[in-house]
Amino acid sequence: MSLYLDDIYDDLDDQQISIVPILTDCDKDEDFQEGMENLSNKLPILPTRNMVLFPAVTMPISVGRTKSMRLIKELQKKKGGLIGVVCQKDMEVEDPGFSDLYRVGVVAEVIRVLELPDHTTTIIIQGKKRFILNALLEEEPYLKGDITPINDPAIPKEDTEMQALFATIKELTIRLLKSSGNPPGEILLSIKNNKNLLYMINFACTNIPVMAQEKQELLQIDDIKERAYKLLVLLNREVQLLELKQSIQSRTKEDIDRQQKEYYLQQQLKTIQQELGGTNSEQELAEMRAKAAQKKWSPAVAEAFEKELRKLERISPQMPDYSMQVGYLQTLLNLPWNEYTRDNFNLKQAERVLNRDHYGLEKVKERILEHLAVLKLKGDFKSPIICLYGPPGVGKTSLGKSVADALKRKYVRVSLGGLHDEAEIRGHRRTYIGAMPGRIIQNIQKAGSSNPVFILDEIDKIGNDYKGDPAAALLEVLDPEQNSAFHDNYLDLDYDLSKVLFIATANNINTISQPLLDRMELIEVSGYIIEEKIEIALRHLIPKQMENHGIGEKITFKKDAIRKIIESYTRESGVRELDKKIAKIMRKMAKKIAMGEEVKKSFDVADVILYLGKPEYTSDRYQGNDHAGVVTGLAWTSVGGEILFVESSISKGKGAKLTLTGNLGDVMKESAVLALEYIKAHASKLGINENLFEEWNVHIHVPEGAIPKDGPSAGITMLTSLASTFTQRKVKKGLAMTGEITLRGRVLPVGGIKEKILAAKRAGIKEIILCEENRKDIEDIKDIYIKGLTFHYVTWVDEVLKIALLEEKVAHPLF
């Protein structure tokens, strides 16, 4: 029995195409190895893409590459011949060389060349014998290779294991063909009747639907039994995969049938519900209309709502769009359109509420009361956009809740830290699955009022990426001239935010975009002095933590104990860390009370170490003026003000060398260079021998080298330090300074004045040198902060040196 490829092509060039065997009956291996006795070691090579030929197998190949066409034309002239068929490793390579081809191929006989009407050429070839490709001898006009034929060992007929393998391979091949589709019955019958084991193995290897690399691995296996086992593994895998696909398709069909059945039942249920007096969807629509009649929205919103409601009526409840449309309409209904809470116009009561919850922060409280006063007099006034900025833990966020209580308004808060998607502010368009309003509209809906106190927390920590810039989206929200018609993408309607009192909080306003800063009223919330922290602890933190820890007994905290906690266990401008330390003390007290131990009714300094352990910080203290070149400066950090010491020294050397240490930033290094150049330029005026600069090297160091330091405010400190070193004169005792310098000796103003003054007071400083332009900053500070301090306001460096340097020299001058 044979299967033939016939009637595939029509008569071409007046030549009748003969019938070509594709699957043949081979009783013995010699049937397909005829003519191999005198096989030459030099053969034309036909590289194939993604196709591996096996001995005894007949198959068609499409030929298109230039070199391959030359080879086929040559064979046509010779009326047939043998070629070496080798699979290439990468099918993308157009002109393969020796390194691009596998080493094992198959000698094949070209049975027929067919030139088709679409100008393509197909050849029918039959594999004969495997060979090893040793080298490519020629590459033009086509490939020719040096080969070594491989003789496959004979298979003993009495080998029962091979017979069992043969039967299993035939069975799996038939199952694979059946699972792939509906093969002709003659193919299956021919496979069943075939008795040639080697031919059957090679036929299955050719037709199994696996990658060419796996087929090549099968071809390279010399041992027939090993090849059969490897083939068996691949056949099992592919059969299981096909059967799994059929199972999935069958289950999918069953699921579709089930959905059709459910749809039919739902239609019947809908008909029954209509007979009983209406469906659930109709009841839902009626409820929406009733709610809409009570809303205070504008005619434009009412028209839009009615239009969307009519659209919902036309949508089947079984459609996915139905639930999306219902969600949109529910959002419109739940928003407080033109619904406002009544403000508390009792200014004295509002002031009491603000003072009750927060100690200090006078500027913020005053601004809120001013706004309330205008509302009381005018009755209608756009809310301000306030931005509170300052170090962490000073009460910026919690202040918003107090403002809401004072005004008797609703309170909502949204954290903007890490926000990087514009849709979080403006919302998503309804065309997207899972679309929802932005956070502004969501929180207005949550508040249930159109005039809440709205906290925009951490506005300085907004990010941006390919999804847009949320800070740009906030420009509309925080502009009083625009936010009366805020457009949310989800609503697709204008919403009035002009009555909302927006309060933004930030730690660093330098990271906020300038257009956004312009829209906000900036109020600095600076750090607390120790006295304020003590009052905050006594009035707020200690009672709160006692209540949180269930301590009902009256325990009195002495002010000295709280001062000890602040100075030795915290390092911050605010009171967040102080709150944690008090909570730690309360936990230990709660444990003692729960275990029946006695707890002292009075908490003093001795108890601090008992409950909190050894001090974690030591306050920077003034270190005296015994050494030349040591000057006290003032610095601002994220946790408040600090004092820093600038040290300078000189050493014998070639001169003109300046060494800077202490982990200084570029700006601070530039200040040191400026200071040294000024000293050199005015040496004679300062009484310094100019030869010193040529004979001595200069070294400036700022202690605590592990901490990065930068900024221009240490300019006059470095200059004073160098002047003291080169003159060996003492620096005035109890003096600190801060200010930027220019090359011509002018002193410029700096920031963070209040925090720096607090640090100076903590360190025991008595006198401070500042730029004249910083005088206004001192005048804004309460007297309690600057009590005991003397300020010297200067414009030129000469004035600094006149105040700072004494005529007295140090104990052991260098020269």
Side-chain angles (χ1 to χ4, degrees):
M1 181 71 182
S2 300
L3 176 68
Y4 297 97
L5 179 68
D6 55 354
D7 299 329
I8 294 180
Y9 307 109
D10 294 329
D11 196 313
L12 184 65
D13 295 334
D14 298 326
Q15 297 179 0
Q16 183 64 37
I17 299 174
S18 61
I19 298 171
V20 181
I22 296 297
L23 180 60
T24 60
D25 292 325
C26 301
D27 294 330
K28 52 186 182 293
D29 296 343
E30 288 76 8
D31 290 348
F32 56 85
Q33 292 187 357
E34 295 176 359
M36 295 293 103
E37 299 82 6
N38 299 318
L39 181 64
S40 171
N41 287 339
K42 182 178 179 182
L43 270 184
I45 301 299
L46 178 67
T48 61
R49 303 183 207 246
N50 207 28
M51 190 279 290
V52 180
L53 178 68
F54 282 80
V57 178
T58 302
M59 61 193 307
I61 299 178
S62 294
V63 180
R65 288 187 277 199
T66 305
K67 290 184 180 180
S68 300
M69 290 299 299
R70 291 175 189 160
L71 172 57
I72 299 307
K73 296 292 184 185
E74 183 74 21
L75 291 173
Q76 278 184 304
K77 292 177 184 177
K78 295 180 180 179
K79 298 194 175 177
L82 298 176
I83 60 173
V85 179
V86 184
C87 182
Q88 63 187 61
K89 298 174 183 177
D90 184 359
M91 64 181 294
E92 301 297 329
V93 177
E94 187 64 28
D95 187 13
F98 180 70
S99 61
D100 300 314
L101 302 174
Y102 286 108
R103 295 294 172 265
V104 178
V106 172
V107 178
E109 179 184 3
V110 180
I111 298 173
R112 195 69 177 167
V113 179
L114 304 171
E115 295 182 0
L116 306 181
D118 60 354
H119 304 293
T120 60
T121 301
T122 297
I123 61 173
I124 310 295
I125 60 175
Q126 183 182 38
K128 297 293 185 180
K129 181 190 285 284
R130 296 185 305 136
F131 67 82
I132 297 173
L133 179 63
N134 299 319
L136 286 180
L137 303 175
E138 298 177 22
E139 295 192 5
E140 294 294 340
Y142 49 80
L143 302 181
K144 288 184 182 179
D146 177 39
I147 68 164
T148 302
I150 303 173
N151 294 315
D152 289 324
I155 303 169
K157 299 229 180 205
E158 62 277 3
D159 191 339
T160 55
E161 184 181 0
M162 281 301 298
Q163 293 301 324
L165 277 171
F166 179 57
T168 307
I169 288 171
K170 287 209 309 187
E171 179 187 346
L172 286 174
T173 303
I174 292 170
R175 281 176 62 188
L176 188 63
L177 289 171
K178 286 182 177 179
S179 299
S180 301
N182 295 316
E186 51 266 33
I187 290 182
L188 302 180
L189 187 61
S190 179
I191 292 173
K192 286 180 182 177
N193 295 335
N194 198 296
K195 300 292 190 292
N196 190 316
L197 190 148
L198 179 59
Y199 174 75
M200 194 63 234
I201 290 173
N202 288 342
F203 176 80
C205 287
T206 303
N207 291 282
I208 186 170
V210 296
M211 300 292 291
Q213 183 180 352
E214 291 182 296
K215 289 185 180 182
Q216 183 67 30
E217 290 173 1
L218 288 170
L219 181 65
Q220 292 176 183
I221 298 174
D222 293 331
D223 186 72
I224 301 300
K225 187 180 291 187
E226 184 183 346
R227 190 188 304 171
Y229 271 115
K230 175 74 173 175
L231 172 63
L232 201 57
V233 171
L234 296 177
L235 281 170
N236 269 310
R237 186 187 75 189
E238 295 303 318
V239 167
Q240 289 173 8
L241 184 62
L242 278 170
E243 289 176 349
L244 180 61
K245 288 180 180 178
Q246 287 180 338
S247 173
I248 292 170
Q249 290 174 351
S250 175
R251 287 201 301 270
T252 306
K253 185 176 184 303
E254 289 174 4
D255 188 52
I256 292 171
D257 291 341
R258 181 177 57 79
Q259 288 178 2
Q260 290 174 341
K261 179 182 178 182
E262 287 178 357
Y263 175 75
Y264 176 70
L265 291 173
Q266 284 172 350
Q267 290 298 110
Q268 286 184 321
L269 182 62
K270 183 178 179 181
T271 305
I272 294 169
Q273 286 175 336
Q274 287 174 345
E275 292 293 328
L276 293 174
T279 63
N280 288 336
S281 60
E282 289 176 349
Q283 293 172 5
E284 194 171 26
L285 289 168
E287 290 174 2
M288 285 184 182
R289 277 204 166 87
K291 283 185 180 178
Q294 301 173 2
K295 300 300 290 185
K296 299 177 183 177
W297 49 32
S298 65
V301 177
E303 182 183 348
F305 177 82
E306 186 60 33
K307 180 182 176 182
E308 295 295 333
L309 195 62
R310 286 198 298 270
K311 187 188 295 184
L312 180 65
E313 289 174 336
R314 297 192 296 269
I315 301 175
S316 169
Q318 282 75 39
M319 297 291 289
D321 289 348
Y322 183 84
S323 60
M324 294 171 60
Q325 190 72 1
V326 169
Y328 174 70
L329 291 171
Q330 291 289 3
T331 300
L332 290 180
L333 288 170
N334 292 334
L335 278 170
W337 299 90
N338 296 321
E339 296 176 17
Y340 306 101
T341 55
R342 187 178 178 84
D343 287 331
N344 171 32
F345 292 121
N346 187 334
L347 299 185
K348 293 191 178 295
Q349 183 185 352
E351 186 176 16
R352 282 196 297 271
V353 172
L354 292 172
N355 289 331
R356 178 197 68 196
D357 295 338
H358 287 80
Y359 185 84
L361 308 178
E362 301 303 331
K363 283 187 180 180
V364 186
K365 295 174 183 177
E366 184 180 356
R367 183 64 185 86
I368 298 301
L369 292 173
E370 287 172 357
H371 172 64
L372 198 56
V374 173
L375 280 177
K376 182 177 180 179
L377 296 176
K378 190 173 184 294
D380 181 25
F381 186 66
K382 289 182 178 179
S383 292
I385 313 296
I386 297 172
C387 179
L388 308 177
Y389 71 96
V394 294
K396 299 184 297 296
T397 304
S398 59
L399 184 64
K401 197 164 184 62
S402 296
V403 171
D405 288 342
L407 298 177
K408 299 295 183 187
R409 289 192 182 189
K410 298 292 182 66
Y411 168 81
V412 286
R413 171 185 166 273
V414 58
S415 178
L416 301 177
L419 196 71
H420 54 78
D421 187 356
E422 181 188 347
E424 292 282 352
I425 304 297
R426 291 188 182 276
H428 304 79
R429 298 192 181 278
R430 282 190 290 148
T431 51
Y432 297 104
I433 294 174
M436 61 177 65
R439 292 198 187 185
I440 303 297
I441 295 298
Q442 283 183 39
N443 281 279
I444 293 292
Q445 182 178 328
K446 177 182 173 183
S449 161
S450 290
N451 65 336
V453 174
F454 202 122
I455 304 298
L456 298 170
D457 212 5
E458 311 289 358
I459 199 170
D460 58 326
K461 296 174 180 62
I462 296 178
N464 62 74
D465 60 10
Y466 66 94
K467 297 178 182 176
D469 185 0
L474 280 173
L475 294 178
E476 181 185 3
V477 177
L478 300 182
D479 190 338
E481 300 301 323
Q482 297 182 43
N483 63 8
S484 58
F486 172 67
H487 189 86
D488 185 274
N489 291 330
Y490 180 79
L491 290 184
D492 205 20
L493 295 167
D494 290 341
Y495 194 91
D496 185 6
L497 297 177
S498 62
K499 303 295 190 297
V500 178
L501 176 56
F502 286 104
I503 299 178
T505 70
N507 296 126
N508 183 8
I509 58 174
N510 294 327
T511 59
I512 304 174
S513 67
Q514 192 59 44
L516 195 56
L517 273 179
D518 289 343
R519 285 164 168 77
M520 298 188 293
E521 184 176 337
L522 300 177
I523 300 178
E524 184 179 5
V525 184
S526 55
Y528 299 111
I529 61 172
I530 293 179
E531 287 74 15
E532 288 179 327
K533 291 183 180 181
I534 292 171
E535 290 299 322
I536 291 170
L538 289 172
R539 296 185 188 188
H540 302 287
L541 304 183
I542 293 173
K544 180 187 74 172
Q545 292 298 346
M546 289 183 73
E547 182 182 350
N548 290 347
H549 291 82
I551 300 176
E553 301 179 24
K554 180 68 175 176
I555 299 174
T556 304
F557 278 71
K558 293 188 176 179
K559 288 189 176 182
D560 289 342
I562 300 173
R563 183 184 298 273
K564 177 68 175 177
I565 297 171
I566 294 167
E567 291 180 345
S568 301
Y569 296 88
T570 66
R571 184 63 61 89
E572 59 179 346
S573 291
V575 292
R576 191 169 289 156
E577 190 66 25
L578 175 60
D579 191 32
K580 292 177 184 177
K581 296 302 179 185
I582 292 172
K584 183 177 181 180
I585 293 170
M586 295 301 172
R587 289 196 300 272
K588 293 183 180 295
M589 286 185 174
K591 179 184 173 185
K592 285 188 174 185
I593 294 170
M595 295 180 71
E597 298 178 17
E598 185 180 353
V599 177
K600 290 170 61 178
K601 301 297 182 184
S602 177
F603 190 88
D604 54 27
V605 175
D607 296 315
V608 174
I609 297 177
L610 181 65
Y611 280 86
L612 295 180
K614 293 181 179 179
E616 299 175 13
Y617 305 102
T618 55
S619 298
D620 290 328
R621 304 299 298 176
Y622 176 69
Q623 296 179 356
N625 64 343
D626 295 332
H627 301 280
V630 180
V631 183
T632 306
L634 300 174
W636 182 91
T637 69
S638 60
V639 295
E642 296 284 347
I643 68 166
L644 58 82
F645 300 100
V646 176
E647 303 174 349
S648 64
S649 66
I650 54 176
S651 57
K652 279 284 188 179
K654 295 180 180 179
K657 182 182 178 183
L658 173 63
T659 304
L660 302 171
T661 56
N663 203 350
L664 309 184
D666 291 339
V667 177
M668 208 164 181
K669 289 178 180 177
E670 290 171 0
S671 296
V673 173
L674 279 172
L676 182 58
E677 291 302 319
Y678 181 87
I679 295 292
K680 287 181 179 179
H682 299 81
S684 58
K685 185 177 179 181
L686 298 172
I688 301 171
N689 185 352
E690 294 183 2
N691 294 329
L692 288 177
F693 301 114
E694 299 176 1
E695 300 170 358
W696 297 75
N697 294 329
V698 182
H699 187 158
I700 297 177
H701 175 67
V702 183
E704 298 187 44
I707 302 172
K709 309 169 192 73
D710 204 1
S713 63
I716 61 172
T717 314
M718 289 182 168
L719 189 141
T720 305
S721 174
L722 289 172
S724 172
T725 298
F726 278 108
T727 60
Q728 293 293 291
R729 291 162 62 185
K730 284 187 175 183
V731 178
K732 191 173 185 179
K733 193 170 185 178
L735 177 71
M737 59 189 70
T738 181
E740 183 180 352
I741 59 170
T742 66
L743 193 58
R744 57 196 177 98
R746 190 172 183 84
V747 181
L748 301 180
V750 293
I753 296 299
K754 181 180 176 183
E755 286 81 2
K756 291 176 179 178
I757 289 171
L758 300 183
K761 283 197 72 173
R762 287 197 301 267
I765 298 295
K766 301 299 181 184
E767 298 181 51
I768 298 176
I769 298 177
L770 296 171
C771 174
E772 177 64 40
E773 293 182 39
N774 282 126
R775 185 189 292 269
K776 62 181 184 300
D777 299 310
I778 300 300
E779 291 172 352
D780 287 340
I781 298 175
K782 283 186 176 182
D783 291 340
I784 187 175
Y785 295 145
I786 59 178
K787 185 179 179 181
L789 292 175
T790 301
F791 294 97
H792 302 281
Y793 301 105
V794 297
T795 305
W796 297 95
V797 167
D798 294 347
E799 300 171 55
V800 176
L801 298 179
K802 186 176 180 181
I803 297 168
L805 295 183
L806 303 176
E807 293 299 329
E808 179 186 358
K809 294 207 173 189
V810 294
H812 303 286
L814 294 176
F815 40 77

